[in-house]
């Protein structure tokens, strides 16, 4: 087994190079694979009721892999699970992560570079749609992955693999909510992680808030030019602050 470690490490390094080439988000051109990804939004609507795409930025700079974790709001309270993530999560993340990771490990050990590169590739932020059920959602976690430069906000207290946990989720500060309508293909714009300072000198941590904005014109023009049939169905919106949440309900005492 010790001989396999350098091989795996070398393979991961090679895949990092292979998957690090993301398309320019401000370009009006799209590759065929980007167009195919965009067309999948219609299938997602049929499967889950809606599709959505969002981008994450960090102090105004796009994250090559950004994802926003959402919890549904039901009767004015946060449903603790299961969560859904939109953005650009890799193919080895989600509720089936354990199964996907096992499959990826086999592909790595058998040097199936094409399959692993596909699973870990950086998606085009213009068309990285995710299937989602209609409803109102609140952000409980947000991630920015730029290789060696990463940021995360939120605290995960769900059950195993995204299953429903027994603790309430805490919404992030700022523009943290969105409504997804039935049958919609939603462009949720950009969620920016805005740094606001630090809580201490030695053992503190950085603080931030979320700022939502609609998709900029270059992203819209690229969709209109390359995927006119999807563009005609798009709903352009953004995340905004939601102050209507009720306090979590106290757990009921167990009977004797």
């Amino acid at each position: 087994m010790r001989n396999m470690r350098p091989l795996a490490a070398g393979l991961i390094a090679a895949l990092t190079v292979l998957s690090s080439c993301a398309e320019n988000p401000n370009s009006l051109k799209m590759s065929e694979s980007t167009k195919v990804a965009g067309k999948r939004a219609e299938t997602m609507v049929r499967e889950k009721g809606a599709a959505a795409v969002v981008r994450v930025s960090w102090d105004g700079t796009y994250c090559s892999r950004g994802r926003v974790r959402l919890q549904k709001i039901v009767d004015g309270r946060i449903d603790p699970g299961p969560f859904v993530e939109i953005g650009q999560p890799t193919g080895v993340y989600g509720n089936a992560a354990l199964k996907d990771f096992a499959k990826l490990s086999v592909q790595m050990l058998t040097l199936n570079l094409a399959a692993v590169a596909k699973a870990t590739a950086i998606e085009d932020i213009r068309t990285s749609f995710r299937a989602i059920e209609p409803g109102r959602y609140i952000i409980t976690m947000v991630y920015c992955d730029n290789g060696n430069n990463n940021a995360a906000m939120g605290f995960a207290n769900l059950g195993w693999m995204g299953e429903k946990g027994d603790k309430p989720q805490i919404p992030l500060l700022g523009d943290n909510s969105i409504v997804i309508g039935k049958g919609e293909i939603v462009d949720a714009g950009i969620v920016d992680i805005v740094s606001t300072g630090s809580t201490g000198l030695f053992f503190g941590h950085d603080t931030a808030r979320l700022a939502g904005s609609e998709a900029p014109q270059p992203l819209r023009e690229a969709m209109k030019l390359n995927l006119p049939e999807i563009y005609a169905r798009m709903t352009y919106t953004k995340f905004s602050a939601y102050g209507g949440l009720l306090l979590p309900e106290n757990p009921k005492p167990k009977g004797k």
Side-chain angles (χ1 to χ4, degrees):
M1 290 300 293
R2 284 179 293 179
N3 293 333
M4 297 303 294
R5 290 179 182 176
L7 174 63
L11 183 57
I12 292 172
L15 289 171
T16 301
V17 175
L18 287 172
S19 63
S20 63
C21 300
E23 294 191 51
N24 181 2
N26 294 317
S27 173
L28 296 183
K29 296 181 180 180
M30 284 186 181
S31 67
E32 287 305 313
S33 61
T34 297
K35 294 178 184 178
V36 169
K39 292 176 181 177
R40 294 194 189 110
E42 293 182 319
T43 303
M44 295 175 186
V45 172
R46 292 193 292 270
E47 291 176 348
K48 288 286 188 176
V53 61
V54 72
R55 303 97 194 159
V56 176
S57 61
W58 185 4
D59 289 333
T61 300
Y62 280 124
C63 304
S64 58
R65 279 197 182 105
R67 62 186 192 266
V68 173
R69 178 174 294 184
L70 302 173
Q71 305 286 153
K72 252 188 178 180
I73 297 178
V74 179
D75 296 330
R77 290 184 170 85
I78 299 177
D79 187 336
F83 62 80
V84 62
E85 291 196 346
I86 63 174
Q88 299 80 48
T90 67
V92 292
Y93 187 86
N95 292 349
L98 188 61
K99 178 181 177 181
D100 290 342
F101 182 77
K103 181 180 179 181
L104 179 66
S105 300
V106 172
Q107 292 170 339
M108 289 174 63
L109 294 176
T110 57
L111 296 180
N112 191 343
L113 289 176
V116 180
K118 182 178 179 181
T120 60
I122 296 176
E123 299 180 47
D124 193 312
I125 64 175
R126 297 171 294 180
T127 61
S128 52
F129 291 96
R130 288 291 181 273
I132 188 170
E133 294 179 354
R136 177 176 281 279
Y137 290 86
I138 198 95
I139 300 177
T140 55
M141 293 196 77
V142 62
Y143 306 82
C144 174
D145 183 353
N146 277 327
N148 294 327
N149 196 18
N150 303 321
M153 290 178 65
F155 178 75
N157 57 9
L158 291 176
W160 173 244
M161 300 295 284
E163 294 300 323
K164 188 171 183 178
D166 58 359
K167 298 180 181 179
Q169 291 292 286
I170 302 173
L172 300 186
L173 296 178
D175 295 332
N176 56 10
S177 183
I178 195 169
V179 175
I180 305 293
K182 184 177 181 180
E184 288 185 338
I185 299 177
V186 175
D187 188 311
I190 302 169
V191 173
D192 190 31
I193 303 171
V194 182
S195 300
T196 56
S198 178
T199 60
L201 181 60
F202 296 107
F203 300 103
H205 57 274
D206 294 333
T207 58
R209 62 178 177 83
L210 302 181
S213 60
E214 291 194 11
Q217 200 60 33
L219 271 63
R220 300 185 188 213
E221 289 296 327
M223 290 293 293
K224 184 177 181 180
L225 179 65
N226 296 277
L227 295 166
E229 67 282 10
I230 302 297
Y231 176 79
R233 292 193 55 190
M234 295 289 292
T235 297
Y236 285 93
T237 186
K238 66 177 182 178
F239 281 85
S240 58
Y242 181 66
L245 283 176
L246 300 173
L247 293 176
E249 293 180 338
N250 293 323
K252 296 180 180 179
K254 295 181 179 180
K256 294 182 179 181

PDB file of all heavy atoms in Angstrom, residues 146-176:
ATOM      1  N   ASN A 146     -10.657  28.393  -4.569  1.00  0.00           N
ATOM      2  CA  ASN A 146      -9.781  28.864  -5.644  1.00  0.00           C
ATOM      3  C   ASN A 146      -8.430  28.162  -5.570  1.00  0.00           C
ATOM      4  O   ASN A 146      -7.371  28.788  -5.656  1.00  0.00           O
ATOM      5  CB  ASN A 146      -9.585  30.382  -5.555  1.00  0.00           C
ATOM      6  CG  ASN A 146     -10.725  31.146  -6.192  1.00  0.00           C
ATOM      7  OD1 ASN A 146     -11.316  30.700  -7.174  1.00  0.00           O
ATOM      8  ND2 ASN A 146     -11.061  32.291  -5.631  1.00  0.00           N
ATOM      9  N   GLY A 147      -8.448  26.868  -5.366  1.00  0.00           N
ATOM     10  CA  GLY A 147      -7.205  26.123  -5.242  1.00  0.00           C
ATOM     11  C   GLY A 147      -6.639  26.261  -3.842  1.00  0.00           C
ATOM     12  O   GLY A 147      -7.191  25.732  -2.884  1.00  0.00           O
ATOM     13  N   ASN A 148      -5.552  27.005  -3.702  1.00  0.00           N
ATOM     14  CA  ASN A 148      -4.924  27.190  -2.402  1.00  0.00           C
ATOM     15  C   ASN A 148      -5.547  28.322  -1.601  1.00  0.00           C
ATOM     16  O   ASN A 148      -5.182  28.538  -0.444  1.00  0.00           O
ATOM     17  CB  ASN A 148      -3.425  27.464  -2.575  1.00  0.00           C
ATOM     18  CG  ASN A 148      -2.681  26.269  -3.131  1.00  0.00           C
ATOM     19  OD1 ASN A 148      -3.037  25.130  -2.850  1.00  0.00           O
ATOM     20  ND2 ASN A 148      -1.658  26.521  -3.930  1.00  0.00           N
ATOM     21  N   ASN A 149      -6.465  29.062  -2.206  1.00  0.00           N
ATOM     22  CA  ASN A 149      -7.077  30.217  -1.558  1.00  0.00           C
ATOM     23  C   ASN A 149      -8.562  29.946  -1.386  1.00  0.00           C
ATOM     24  O   ASN A 149      -9.333  30.070  -2.328  1.00  0.00           O
ATOM     25  CB  ASN A 149      -6.838  31.468  -2.411  1.00  0.00           C
ATOM     26  CG  ASN A 149      -7.081  32.738  -1.643  1.00  0.00           C
ATOM     27  OD1 ASN A 149      -7.103  32.746  -0.414  1.00  0.00           O
ATOM     28  ND2 ASN A 149      -7.275  33.831  -2.359  1.00  0.00           N
ATOM     29  N   ASN A 150      -8.974  29.550  -0.170  1.00  0.00           N
ATOM     30  CA  ASN A 150     -10.341  29.100   0.060  1.00  0.00           C
ATOM     31  C   ASN A 150     -11.005  29.883   1.184  1.00  0.00           C
ATOM     32  O   ASN A 150     -10.333  30.423   2.066  1.00  0.00           O
ATOM     33  CB  ASN A 150     -10.371  27.610   0.411  1.00  0.00           C
ATOM     34  CG  ASN A 150      -9.719  26.764  -0.656  1.00  0.00           C
ATOM     35  OD1 ASN A 150      -9.881  27.036  -1.836  1.00  0.00           O
ATOM     36  ND2 ASN A 150      -8.984  25.756  -0.254  1.00  0.00           N
ATOM     37  N   ALA A 151     -12.318  29.936   1.150  1.00  0.00           N
ATOM     38  CA  ALA A 151     -13.086  30.572   2.219  1.00  0.00           C
ATOM     39  C   ALA A 151     -14.381  29.803   2.411  1.00  0.00           C
ATOM     40  O   ALA A 151     -14.914  29.205   1.476  1.00  0.00           O
ATOM     41  CB  ALA A 151     -13.382  32.033   1.882  1.00  0.00           C
ATOM     42  N   ALA A 152     -14.887  29.823   3.644  1.00  0.00           N
ATOM     43  CA  ALA A 152     -16.157  29.173   3.948  1.00  0.00           C
ATOM     44  C   ALA A 152     -16.853  29.952   5.048  1.00  0.00           C
ATOM     45  O   ALA A 152     -16.211  30.492   5.943  1.00  0.00           O
ATOM     46  CB  ALA A 152     -15.941  27.727   4.377  1.00  0.00           C
ATOM     47  N   MET A 153     -18.173  30.015   4.974  1.00  0.00           N
ATOM     48  CA  MET A 153     -18.991  30.632   6.015  1.00  0.00           C
ATOM     49  C   MET A 153     -20.087  29.656   6.412  1.00  0.00           C
ATOM     50  O   MET A 153     -20.658  28.991   5.554  1.00  0.00           O
ATOM     51  CB  MET A 153     -19.651  31.920   5.505  1.00  0.00           C
ATOM     52  CG  MET A 153     -18.709  33.082   5.277  1.00  0.00           C
ATOM     53  SD  MET A 153     -19.624  34.505   4.607  1.00  0.00           S
ATOM     54  CE  MET A 153     -20.715  34.896   5.988  1.00  0.00           C
ATOM     55  N   GLY A 154     -20.369  29.591   7.707  1.00  0.00           N
ATOM     56  CA  GLY A 154     -21.458  28.743   8.167  1.00  0.00           C
ATOM     57  C   GLY A 154     -20.958  27.606   9.033  1.00  0.00           C
ATOM     58  O   GLY A 154     -19.759  27.359   9.164  1.00  0.00           O
ATOM     59  N   PHE A 155     -21.916  26.910   9.639  1.00  0.00           N
ATOM     60  CA  PHE A 155     -21.597  25.792  10.521  1.00  0.00           C
ATOM     61  C   PHE A 155     -22.541  24.653  10.200  1.00  0.00           C
ATOM     62  O   PHE A 155     -23.762  24.792  10.272  1.00  0.00           O
ATOM     63  CB  PHE A 155     -21.750  26.198  11.987  1.00  0.00           C
ATOM     64  CG  PHE A 155     -21.480  25.084  12.950  1.00  0.00           C
ATOM     65  CD1 PHE A 155     -20.189  24.664  13.192  1.00  0.00           C
ATOM     66  CD2 PHE A 155     -22.516  24.446  13.605  1.00  0.00           C
ATOM     67  CE1 PHE A 155     -19.934  23.620  14.076  1.00  0.00           C
ATOM     68  CE2 PHE A 155     -22.273  23.408  14.497  1.00  0.00           C
ATOM     69  CZ  PHE A 155     -20.970  22.992  14.728  1.00  0.00           C
ATOM     70  N   ALA A 156     -21.970  23.502   9.852  1.00  0.00           N
ATOM     71  CA  ALA A 156     -22.787  22.341   9.475  1.00  0.00           C
ATOM     72  C   ALA A 156     -23.129  21.526  10.725  1.00  0.00           C
ATOM     73  O   ALA A 156     -22.240  21.037  11.409  1.00  0.00           O
ATOM     74  CB  ALA A 156     -22.044  21.472   8.467  1.00  0.00           C
ATOM     75  N   ASN A 157     -24.402  21.398  11.014  1.00  0.00           N
ATOM     76  CA  ASN A 157     -24.811  20.542  12.138  1.00  0.00           C
ATOM     77  C   ASN A 157     -25.934  19.608  11.713  1.00  0.00           C
ATOM     78  O   ASN A 157     -26.832  19.304  12.466  1.00  0.00           O
ATOM     79  CB  ASN A 157     -25.221  21.372  13.349  1.00  0.00           C
ATOM     80  CG  ASN A 157     -26.344  22.347  13.038  1.00  0.00           C
ATOM     81  OD1 ASN A 157     -26.939  22.302  11.962  1.00  0.00           O
ATOM     82  ND2 ASN A 157     -26.641  23.228  13.967  1.00  0.00           N
ATOM     83  N   LEU A 158     -25.838  19.162  10.468  1.00  0.00           N
ATOM     84  CA  LEU A 158     -26.823  18.207   9.961  1.00  0.00           C
ATOM     85  C   LEU A 158     -26.440  16.784  10.351  1.00  0.00           C
ATOM     86  O   LEU A 158     -25.356  16.539  10.882  1.00  0.00           O
ATOM     87  CB  LEU A 158     -26.911  18.296   8.438  1.00  0.00           C
ATOM     88  CG  LEU A 158     -27.525  19.579   7.872  1.00  0.00           C
ATOM     89  CD1 LEU A 158     -27.438  19.556   6.374  1.00  0.00           C
ATOM     90  CD2 LEU A 158     -28.957  19.723   8.318  1.00  0.00           C
ATOM     91  N   GLY A 159     -27.312  15.864  10.034  1.00  0.00           N
ATOM     92  CA  GLY A 159     -27.012  14.459  10.255  1.00  0.00           C
ATOM     93  C   GLY A 159     -26.059  13.944   9.192  1.00  0.00           C
ATOM     94  O   GLY A 159     -25.551  14.673   8.345  1.00  0.00           O
ATOM     95  N   TRP A 160     -25.796  12.662   9.206  1.00  0.00           N
ATOM     96  CA  TRP A 160     -24.832  12.024   8.306  1.00  0.00           C
ATOM     97  C   TRP A 160     -25.252  12.159   6.841  1.00  0.00           C
ATOM     98  O   TRP A 160     -26.376  11.899   6.475  1.00  0.00           O
ATOM     99  CB  TRP A 160     -24.699  10.556   8.684  1.00  0.00           C
ATOM    100  CG  TRP A 160     -23.865   9.740   7.746  1.00  0.00           C
ATOM    101  CD1 TRP A 160     -24.293   8.703   6.982  1.00  0.00           C
ATOM    102  CD2 TRP A 160     -22.469   9.881   7.476  1.00  0.00           C
ATOM    103  NE1 TRP A 160     -23.272   8.184   6.250  1.00  0.00           N
ATOM    104  CE2 TRP A 160     -22.129   8.892   6.533  1.00  0.00           C
ATOM    105  CE3 TRP A 160     -21.481  10.761   7.935  1.00  0.00           C
ATOM    106  CZ2 TRP A 160     -20.829   8.747   6.041  1.00  0.00           C
ATOM    107  CZ3 TRP A 160     -20.183  10.613   7.449  1.00  0.00           C
ATOM    108  CH2 TRP A 160     -19.874   9.617   6.527  1.00  0.00           C
ATOM    109  N   MET A 161     -24.312  12.628   6.014  1.00  0.00           N
ATOM    110  CA  MET A 161     -24.498  12.695   4.562  1.00  0.00           C
ATOM    111  C   MET A 161     -25.704  13.518   4.161  1.00  0.00           C
ATOM    112  O   MET A 161     -26.384  13.235   3.171  1.00  0.00           O
ATOM    113  CB  MET A 161     -24.628  11.290   3.974  1.00  0.00           C
ATOM    114  CG  MET A 161     -23.412  10.406   4.211  1.00  0.00           C
ATOM    115  SD  MET A 161     -21.951  11.014   3.393  1.00  0.00           S
ATOM    116  CE  MET A 161     -22.329  10.533   1.718  1.00  0.00           C
ATOM    117  N   GLY A 162     -25.993  14.577   4.910  1.00  0.00           N
ATOM    118  CA  GLY A 162     -27.069  15.470   4.516  1.00  0.00           C
ATOM    119  C   GLY A 162     -28.447  15.043   4.957  1.00  0.00           C
ATOM    120  O   GLY A 162     -29.423  15.706   4.642  1.00  0.00           O
ATOM    121  N   GLU A 163     -28.525  13.946   5.678  1.00  0.00           N
ATOM    122  CA  GLU A 163     -29.830  13.531   6.179  1.00  0.00           C
ATOM    123  C   GLU A 163     -30.291  14.487   7.279  1.00  0.00           C
ATOM    124  O   GLU A 163     -29.498  15.230   7.852  1.00  0.00           O
ATOM    125  CB  GLU A 163     -29.761  12.096   6.714  1.00  0.00           C
ATOM    126  CG  GLU A 163     -29.489  11.065   5.633  1.00  0.00           C
ATOM    127  CD  GLU A 163     -30.561  11.048   4.552  1.00  0.00           C
ATOM    128  OE1 GLU A 163     -31.742  11.237   4.903  1.00  0.00           O
ATOM    129  OE2 GLU A 163     -30.224  10.855   3.395  1.00  0.00           O
ATOM    130  N   LYS A 164     -31.571  14.467   7.576  1.00  0.00           N
ATOM    131  CA  LYS A 164     -32.137  15.410   8.518  1.00  0.00           C
ATOM    132  C   LYS A 164     -31.519  15.268   9.901  1.00  0.00           C
ATOM    133  O   LYS A 164     -31.477  14.192  10.470  1.00  0.00           O
ATOM    134  CB  LYS A 164     -33.650  15.193   8.610  1.00  0.00           C
ATOM    135  CG  LYS A 164     -34.382  16.256   9.425  1.00  0.00           C
ATOM    136  CD  LYS A 164     -35.872  16.089   9.280  1.00  0.00           C
ATOM    137  CE  LYS A 164     -36.621  17.185  10.033  1.00  0.00           C
ATOM    138  NZ  LYS A 164     -38.081  17.073   9.872  1.00  0.00           N
ATOM    139  N   GLY A 165     -31.014  16.404  10.428  1.00  0.00           N
ATOM    140  CA  GLY A 165     -30.414  16.424  11.744  1.00  0.00           C
ATOM    141  C   GLY A 165     -31.412  16.886  12.796  1.00  0.00           C
ATOM    142  O   GLY A 165     -32.555  17.223  12.491  1.00  0.00           O
ATOM    143  N   ASP A 166     -30.964  16.938  14.055  1.00  0.00           N
ATOM    144  CA  ASP A 166     -31.869  17.311  15.142  1.00  0.00           C
ATOM    145  C   ASP A 166     -31.565  18.704  15.690  1.00  0.00           C
ATOM    146  O   ASP A 166     -32.104  19.093  16.726  1.00  0.00           O
ATOM    147  CB  ASP A 166     -31.805  16.278  16.266  1.00  0.00           C
ATOM    148  CG  ASP A 166     -30.392  16.121  16.831  1.00  0.00           C
ATOM    149  OD1 ASP A 166     -29.473  16.805  16.334  1.00  0.00           O
ATOM    150  OD2 ASP A 166     -30.222  15.316  17.756  1.00  0.00           O
ATOM    151  N   LYS A 167     -30.678  19.467  15.036  1.00  0.00           N
ATOM    152  CA  LYS A 167     -30.344  20.801  15.494  1.00  0.00           C
ATOM    153  C   LYS A 167     -30.764  21.837  14.452  1.00  0.00           C
ATOM    154  O   LYS A 167     -30.689  21.573  13.257  1.00  0.00           O
ATOM    155  CB  LYS A 167     -28.841  20.915  15.746  1.00  0.00           C
ATOM    156  CG  LYS A 167     -28.327  19.988  16.841  1.00  0.00           C
ATOM    157  CD  LYS A 167     -26.840  20.161  17.023  1.00  0.00           C
ATOM    158  CE  LYS A 167     -26.311  19.226  18.102  1.00  0.00           C
ATOM    159  NZ  LYS A 167     -24.849  19.366  18.282  1.00  0.00           N
ATOM    160  N   PRO A 168     -31.197  23.018  14.892  1.00  0.00           N
ATOM    161  CA  PRO A 168     -31.597  24.047  13.932  1.00  0.00           C
ATOM    162  C   PRO A 168     -30.398  24.632  13.191  1.00  0.00           C
ATOM    163  O   PRO A 168     -29.308  24.721  13.745  1.00  0.00           O
ATOM    164  CB  PRO A 168     -32.258  25.110  14.814  1.00  0.00           C
ATOM    165  CG  PRO A 168     -31.620  24.931  16.142  1.00  0.00           C
ATOM    166  CD  PRO A 168     -31.377  23.455  16.289  1.00  0.00           C
ATOM    167  N   GLN A 169     -30.602  25.006  11.955  1.00  0.00           N
ATOM    168  CA  GLN A 169     -29.554  25.639  11.174  1.00  0.00           C
ATOM    169  C   GLN A 169     -29.569  27.142  11.423  1.00  0.00           C
ATOM    170  O   GLN A 169     -30.600  27.737  11.738  1.00  0.00           O
ATOM    171  CB  GLN A 169     -29.764  25.361   9.685  1.00  0.00           C
ATOM    172  CG  GLN A 169     -29.536  23.913   9.297  1.00  0.00           C
ATOM    173  CD  GLN A 169     -28.081  23.510   9.429  1.00  0.00           C
ATOM    174  OE1 GLN A 169     -27.248  23.883   8.618  1.00  0.00           O
ATOM    175  NE2 GLN A 169     -27.767  22.751  10.463  1.00  0.00           N
ATOM    176  N   ILE A 170     -28.409  27.773  11.262  1.00  0.00           N
ATOM    177  CA  ILE A 170     -28.273  29.203  11.490  1.00  0.00           C
ATOM    178  C   ILE A 170     -28.078  29.900  10.145  1.00  0.00           C
ATOM    179  O   ILE A 170     -27.117  29.600   9.432  1.00  0.00           O
ATOM    180  CB  ILE A 170     -27.084  29.503  12.415  1.00  0.00           C
ATOM    181  CG1 ILE A 170     -27.263  28.784  13.753  1.00  0.00           C
ATOM    182  CG2 ILE A 170     -26.927  31.006  12.626  1.00  0.00           C
ATOM    183  CD1 ILE A 170     -26.055  28.877  14.661  1.00  0.00           C
ATOM    184  N   PRO A 171     -28.957  30.825   9.770  1.00  0.00           N
ATOM    185  CA  PRO A 171     -28.786  31.526   8.491  1.00  0.00           C
ATOM    186  C   PRO A 171     -27.590  32.470   8.540  1.00  0.00           C
ATOM    187  O   PRO A 171     -27.248  33.011   9.596  1.00  0.00           O
ATOM    188  CB  PRO A 171     -30.099  32.291   8.339  1.00  0.00           C
ATOM    189  CG  PRO A 171     -30.611  32.457   9.727  1.00  0.00           C
ATOM    190  CD  PRO A 171     -30.171  31.246  10.485  1.00  0.00           C
ATOM    191  N   LEU A 172     -26.931  32.654   7.404  1.00  0.00           N
ATOM    192  CA  LEU A 172     -25.803  33.571   7.336  1.00  0.00           C
ATOM    193  C   LEU A 172     -26.302  35.009   7.249  1.00  0.00           C
ATOM    194  O   LEU A 172     -27.408  35.271   6.776  1.00  0.00           O
ATOM    195  CB  LEU A 172     -24.929  33.236   6.126  1.00  0.00           C
ATOM    196  CG  LEU A 172     -24.325  31.828   6.120  1.00  0.00           C
ATOM    197  CD1 LEU A 172     -23.376  31.675   4.945  1.00  0.00           C
ATOM    198  CD2 LEU A 172     -23.602  31.522   7.430  1.00  0.00           C
ATOM    199  N   LEU A 173     -25.469  35.934   7.680  1.00  0.00           N
ATOM    200  CA  LEU A 173     -25.832  37.340   7.672  1.00  0.00           C
ATOM    201  C   LEU A 173     -25.772  37.921   6.260  1.00  0.00           C
ATOM    202  O   LEU A 173     -24.926  37.538   5.454  1.00  0.00           O
ATOM    203  CB  LEU A 173     -24.890  38.127   8.588  1.00  0.00           C
ATOM    204  CG  LEU A 173     -24.935  37.797  10.088  1.00  0.00           C
ATOM    205  CD1 LEU A 173     -23.903  38.628  10.831  1.00  0.00           C
ATOM    206  CD2 LEU A 173     -26.324  38.036  10.649  1.00  0.00           C
ATOM    207  N   GLY A 174     -26.674  38.842   5.982  1.00  0.00           N
ATOM    208  CA  GLY A 174     -26.663  39.526   4.696  1.00  0.00           C
ATOM    209  C   GLY A 174     -27.743  39.033   3.765  1.00  0.00           C
ATOM    210  O   GLY A 174     -28.829  38.624   4.199  1.00  0.00           O
ATOM    211  N   ASP A 175     -27.453  39.055   2.478  1.00  0.00           N
ATOM    212  CA  ASP A 175     -28.418  38.609   1.460  1.00  0.00           C
ATOM    213  C   ASP A 175     -28.408  37.091   1.422  1.00  0.00           C
ATOM    214  O   ASP A 175     -27.581  36.481   0.752  1.00  0.00           O
ATOM    215  CB  ASP A 175     -28.049  39.212   0.104  1.00  0.00           C
ATOM    216  CG  ASP A 175     -28.184  40.723   0.102  1.00  0.00           C
ATOM    217  OD1 ASP A 175     -29.004  41.250   0.863  1.00  0.00           O
ATOM    218  OD2 ASP A 175     -27.457  41.395  -0.668  1.00  0.00           O
ATOM    219  N   ASN A 176     -29.355  36.499   2.113  1.00  0.00           N
ATOM    220  CA  ASN A 176     -29.270  35.069   2.416  1.00  0.00           C
ATOM    221  C   ASN A 176     -30.451  34.229   1.938  1.00  0.00           C
ATOM    222  O   ASN A 176     -30.513  33.043   2.232  1.00  0.00           O
ATOM    223  CB  ASN A 176     -29.133  34.873   3.923  1.00  0.00           C
ATOM    224  CG  ASN A 176     -30.271  35.527   4.712  1.00  0.00           C
ATOM    225  OD1 ASN A 176     -31.268  35.969   4.137  1.00  0.00           O
ATOM    226  ND2 ASN A 176     -30.120  35.601   6.027  1.00  0.00           N
TER     227      ASN A 176
END
